[in-house]
Amino acid sequence: MSALLLEHLNPEQRAAVTLPRESALILAGAGSGKTRVLTTRIVWLIQSQQVSPHGILAVTFTNKAAKEMLTRISAMLPINTRGMWVGTFHGLANRLLRTHWREAGLPQTFQILDSADQLSAIKRLMKSLNVDTEKYEPKKVQWFINGHKEAGRRARDAEAFDEYSMRMAELFEAYDAQCQREGVADFPELLLRSYELLYRNEPLREHYRDRFKHILVDEFQDTNVLQYRWLKLFAGPQAALFAVGDDDQSIYAFRGADTANMAAFEREFAHGNVIKLEQNYRSHGHILTAANTLIAQNAHRLGKNLWTAEGEGEPIRVFVAYSDQEEASFVVDEAKTLNREGVAFSDMALLYRSNAQSRVLEHALFSAGVAYRVYGGLRFFERQEIKHALAYLRLMTNPEDDGAFLRVVNFPTRGIGARTLELLADTAARSGASLWQTACTSGGKVAGFAKLVEDIKQATADLPLHEVIDHVIEASGLADFYRADKDGADRLENLNELVNAAALFEEGDSGEEAEDKTLESFLAHAALEAGEHQAGAGHDALQLMTVHAAKGLEFHTVFITGLEESLFPHEQSAHEENGLEEERRLMYVAITRARRRLYLSHAQSRMLHGQVRYGLPSRFLDELPEQVLLHLNRKAESPVAAYSPSAPRAREASNDTGYRVGQSVAHAKFGTGIIIDFEGRGSDARVQVKFRDAGTKWLALAYAKLSAA
């Protein structure tokens, strides 16, 4: 059986699977068969009688991965896997606490709070303590608590250096006391409580160290500080830790993932015992050459080089679009052609860095009648923040819309409770009036809400459609609400994209045949696009997703869109330590999702806040080797005349300066950039240049010494 088990493994995989009882770091590249190595390692250990099934601790990051691992083990070994400790960090921590609830200081029937339950518990606590929720927002209190717990800290360990942080620490302590009284535990608590249990209870710790002689960890690059400390408590002097990961695919720093854990593990446990799985079974050679060359730009990596025995394959196709709409049309046309040639839509993925990018792509697919599915997320017009904005707009056109009224009467929160709304609904029902009519005559906060909507309607009466929507987003409080939300950046981008959608609708680029470009028509258009075009389960449909959501997946054909500076890499990366390196890892992940065909595209102009903006091509395109690229087109300048309000004076200025909007230029100090505006004439002329690394600057042409890039 052992020979058959190892028969189809390559030399490096076989070396990893048959390691003696020692700790090792398995540096597993994309598509190198890491799941196969992990499960085969477990089966080999059991089959060769080095350990019993109960002597193995295997940790994954998702329930799906844990289930797949157990299924594969069951298929290879005639054993009952139900008693095996194979699961996620939180799942195994819960199991430990259920077994030792008394030692952990928990009731036997303790309940787990999900994120929404936890936030409700925090709000209830703050209400009981009469805490000002304007100054101490419940969501921020939740982040404070969870951030400290995930770093292994209790309230007493939290840094408190001013009145605000001291109060936050007090709320943290009061929240923990409330959870203890009520016998509940949130998700971060599961891991922290189980860590504390093992740390302070030496007999229990030694029991598990004696039991688990082999500890295996999947996706080790995604571990945070507490998870690594938790693992180390299980690892006795005789334990063998088998950590599988890829530092080049570490893309979850925003969740607390720490790539330094891999270097620490190599130093503390593996002692240089590293096996690199570099043979890729997924992608053709040109795709891997691009991925290797790109990721080599990162300084902080352990280092490996993917290769394949499958041949070089097709070149990587690069497309430059004038606009984001042209980019979307190109993608749809290529996808339809490939489908006619026999590639299923479900084997194609359309990737983007930001959720907001999906709207233009979805519209192009909708207009072309191509079924699609948004993987790991909602379609644009189904997203919470979009539905909120549309509800305000619906009330402006039809105040009798009770559904829209109920959706936003207390969002963002304005102190209108459930009891108030029940009384309002009862009054409305008795009088046969709408909620809006009843609110207007009821006084109090509900009347204040009705006045807010009425004021917005009057203030926007003479504005263009996209400016109406922009005003609604700000005046309603939606923008401020999401600005204050730690996870609200994506939602703000989506709201901005709604403004862009309205601007395109006004221009007639939405596909609508009607001349009517009113708010009512736009709402009808939005309702149609939010309809039933997304494919159901089991139907052949193009896959749309963010690059983050694509990790772990693979497709025959991959389109990576929006490859522009400030979009991919994202503008936030410039303000974060090692942010650019993480963005490059994200691009590496995107590239390595493709098996056979890869498209890279960017647009020279893109809508932002209803106005056309010009962007530079992503630096990642420059970091790819030319020999693997096929440029489908090369566009030297942007379509200024078609879009830009400054086009007339740009053309006028270009007559006597030799420069034009959209032209790529170089500066000795600021590097390369693109001209986005002009001012003045002759020797007094100035240009506004958006530089790749130095931001946007106005430069006097008489002194700037610009040159064509």
Side-chain angles (χ1 to χ4, degrees):
M1 177 69 179
S2 293
L4 290 174
L5 185 67
L6 306 175
E7 184 179 6
H8 298 293
L9 301 178
N10 67 39
E12 291 74 24
Q13 290 175 331
R14 191 178 298 114
V17 166
T18 59
L19 273 171
R21 197 166 90 181
E22 58 188 27
S23 295
L25 176 61
I26 312 302
L27 199 57
S32 63
K34 71 175 181 64
T35 304
R36 183 183 194 183
V37 166
L38 264 170
T39 52
T40 308
R41 168 74 172 168
I42 292 172
V43 172
W44 185 79
L45 287 170
I46 296 171
Q47 190 185 82
S48 58
Q49 299 183 345
Q50 296 187 51
V51 67
S52 74
H54 299 287
I56 288 174
L57 176 67
V59 190
T60 69
F61 267 84
T62 66
N63 288 317
K64 180 183 176 183
K67 186 177 180 181
E68 181 182 358
M69 192 177 293
L70 289 169
T71 301
R72 290 195 188 193
I73 293 169
S74 297
M76 290 189 277
L77 275 179
I79 62 170
N80 184 349
T81 60
R82 292 192 62 175
M84 293 183 68
W85 280 53
V86 177
T88 64
F89 278 101
H90 290 106
L92 294 173
N94 176 58
R95 186 169 182 170
L96 184 70
L97 294 174
R98 296 288 176 193
T99 306
H100 304 285
W101 54 272
R102 187 177 287 106
E103 295 94 326
L106 289 168
Q108 187 173 8
T109 57
F110 74 88
Q111 299 299 306
I112 299 173
L113 301 178
D114 63 19
S115 183
D117 293 335
Q118 183 192 28
L119 185 59
S120 296
I122 289 169
K123 288 178 178 177
R124 181 160 43 85
L125 170 75
M126 295 175 72
K127 185 175 182 180
S128 70
L129 296 175
N130 294 316
V131 177
D132 180 359
T133 56
E134 293 290 324
K135 185 176 182 180
Y136 301 95
E137 295 176 41
K139 201 81 182 277
K140 290 186 177 179
V141 175
Q142 184 180 35
W143 300 332
F144 182 87
I145 292 170
N146 290 350
H148 280 288
K149 285 188 177 185
E150 287 165 0
R153 295 189 292 267
R154 289 290 181 191
R156 62 180 176 272
D157 307 312
E159 289 187 9
F161 47 84
D162 57 16
E163 180 187 350
Y164 183 84
S165 56
M166 288 174 66
R167 186 56 170 152
M168 292 289 269
E170 290 171 359
L171 291 172
F172 182 2
E173 189 169 17
Y175 166 77
D176 268 356
Q178 174 179 285
C179 289
Q180 188 66 32
R181 284 195 309 273
E182 297 177 359
V184 296
D186 53 53
F187 270 92
E189 180 71 19
L190 294 175
L191 203 63
L192 180 55
R193 182 75 66 113
S194 63
Y195 170 80
E196 291 171 338
L197 170 64
L198 291 173
Y199 182 80
R200 68 170 181 264
N201 192 323
E202 185 178 356
L204 194 63
R205 183 171 70 247
E206 292 306 315
H207 164 76
Y208 281 104
R209 285 184 168 186
D210 186 59
R211 174 178 174 176
F212 296 129
K213 298 299 186 186
H214 288 273
I215 301 170
L216 301 94
V217 191
D218 191 13
E219 304 285 9
F220 191 79
Q221 77 279 352
D222 293 335
T223 54
N224 63 27
V225 171
L226 182 58
Q227 287 164 341
Y228 185 37
R229 287 167 58 184
W230 186 87
L231 284 167
K232 289 199 287 186
L233 282 181
F234 281 99
Q238 305 303 315
L241 267 73
F242 187 88
V244 182
D246 182 3
D247 58 328
D248 290 334
Q249 294 189 76
S250 179
I251 59 173
Y252 295 121
F254 65 94
R255 294 183 188 169
D258 189 351
T259 52
N261 285 349
M262 292 191 76
F265 177 84
E266 182 184 2
R267 184 176 62 252
E268 296 171 8
F269 289 96
H271 306 299
N273 189 13
V274 178
I275 296 176
K276 297 181 180 181
L277 304 183
E278 297 174 299
Q279 183 173 359
N280 178 282
Y281 293 93
R282 176 187 300 157
S283 307
H284 275 164
H286 284 324
I287 294 169
L288 298 181
T289 298
N292 289 332
T293 307
L294 175 91
I295 203 63
Q297 303 292 320
N298 275 3
H300 305 99
R301 59 190 295 260
L302 297 173
K304 64 181 182 317
N305 203 57
L306 297 178
W307 64 275
T308 180
E310 295 297 312
E312 292 182 340
E314 301 179 22
I316 297 168
R317 292 160 171 82
V318 181
F319 181 76
V320 185
Y322 281 134
S323 67
D324 46 359
Q325 297 168 76
E326 187 189 36
E327 180 187 41
S329 296
F330 165 76
V331 169
V332 173
D333 289 344
E334 287 293 305
K336 289 171 70 176
T337 299
L338 285 168
N339 184 249
R340 286 194 296 270
E341 293 172 357
V343 182
F345 282 125
S346 58
D347 210 6
M348 303 181 210
L350 207 170
L351 308 184
Y352 36 83
R353 174 64 180 85
S354 169
N355 268 310
Q357 292 170 252
S358 80
R359 191 205 60 80
V360 174
L361 299 166
E362 287 185 57
H363 176 72
L365 290 164
F366 175 83
S367 300
V370 176
Y372 68 91
R373 184 179 299 110
V374 179
Y375 181 91
L378 296 171
R379 288 177 294 172
F380 182 80
F381 285 107
E382 290 178 339
R383 293 169 189 161
Q384 176 204 84
E385 61 278 11
I386 300 302
K387 282 183 165 289
H388 287 332
L390 292 176
Y392 280 103
L393 295 167
R394 282 162 53 192
L395 277 178
M396 288 166 59
T397 62
N398 176 22
E400 312 303 303
D401 187 337
D402 283 356
F405 181 93
L406 287 171
R407 184 174 189 93
V408 293
V409 64
N410 196 41
F411 193 91
T413 180
R414 37 182 73 89
I416 301 172
R419 181 59 183 156
T420 299
L421 292 176
E422 286 176 14
L423 293 171
L424 187 73
D426 288 344
T427 305
R430 284 196 304 271
S431 61
S434 68
L435 294 176
W436 174 273
Q437 291 171 332
T438 310
C440 290
T441 58
S442 294
K445 292 178 179 177
V446 289
F449 167 72
K451 184 178 185 305
L452 169 69
V453 176
E454 207 45 62
D455 288 347
I456 292 173
K457 184 175 180 180
Q458 290 180 17
T460 58
D462 299 319
L463 294 179
L465 177 60
H466 73 277
E467 291 185 24
V468 170
I469 295 175
D470 198 23
H471 184 89
V472 166
I473 290 168
E474 289 292 340
S476 65
L478 288 174
D480 285 340
F481 176 82
Y482 290 119
R483 284 189 193 109
D485 190 334
K486 180 184 176 185
D487 302 316
D490 273 357
R491 298 191 187 277
L492 271 175
E493 286 185 9
N494 288 336
L495 288 171
N496 290 335
E497 187 57 34
L498 184 64
V499 178
N500 296 341
L504 288 171
F505 184 82
E506 288 174 293
E507 292 176 8
D509 293 326
S510 64
E512 294 293 306
E513 295 298 327
E515 292 296 321
D516 184 7
K517 301 301 178 184
T518 61
L519 177 55
E520 290 86 348
S521 296
F522 177 72
L523 290 170
H525 161 74
L528 288 171
E529 288 218 9
E532 302 174 354
H533 200 65
Q534 174 158 277
H539 291 90
D540 187 32
L542 195 67
Q543 308 293 300
L544 273 68
M545 65 193 77
T546 63
V547 181
H548 279 102
K551 187 171 180 288
L553 304 177
E554 60 179 75
F555 304 89
H556 175 281
T557 298
V558 169
F559 298 88
I560 306 176
T561 62
L563 284 168
E564 295 132 43
E565 288 292 302
S566 298
L567 190 54
F568 198 4
H570 197 278
E571 60 186 348
Q572 289 179 351
S573 65
H575 310 294
E576 298 167 353
E577 185 179 2
N578 298 321
L580 182 58
E581 291 213 348
E582 175 134 343
E583 288 290 301
R584 192 174 284 111
R585 292 194 293 268
L586 196 57
M587 181 64 177
Y588 176 84
V589 167
I591 290 172
T592 54
R593 298 313 92 196
R595 294 198 304 268
R596 296 294 176 263
R597 184 174 287 203
L598 176 63
Y599 290 86
L600 309 176
S601 64
H602 68 92
Q604 293 182 327
S605 65
R606 193 173 290 274
M607 275 280 191
L608 183 66
H609 290 295
Q611 299 292 321
V612 172
R613 297 290 184 267
Y614 297 97
L616 290 167
S618 170
R619 69 190 68 197
F620 297 152
L621 290 167
D622 294 337
E623 294 172 359
L624 301 178
E626 274 295 323
Q627 68 268 23
V628 304
L629 304 179
L630 172 62
H631 294 274
L632 300 179
N633 63 343
R634 291 182 185 270
K635 295 184 177 178
E637 54 187 283
S638 303
V640 178
Y643 296 106
S644 174
S646 62
R649 71 171 183 273
R651 284 197 297 275
E652 181 184 1
S654 67
N655 289 334
D656 62 1
T657 67
Y659 292 101
R660 63 184 182 279
V661 170
Q663 181 178 354
S664 294
V665 293
H667 186 275
K669 180 179 179 182
F670 302 128
T672 59
I674 189 169
I675 296 175
I676 60 175
D677 204 355
F678 270 90
E679 185 176 275
R681 289 179 58 83
S683 60
D684 295 326
R686 297 197 308 161
V687 294
Q688 189 179 34
V689 183
K690 182 177 182 181
F691 289 102
R692 171 172 288 177
D693 297 312
T696 301
K697 300 182 183 298
W698 279 101
L699 301 173
L701 281 175
Y703 307 102
K705 295 182 180 179
L706 292 175
S707 60

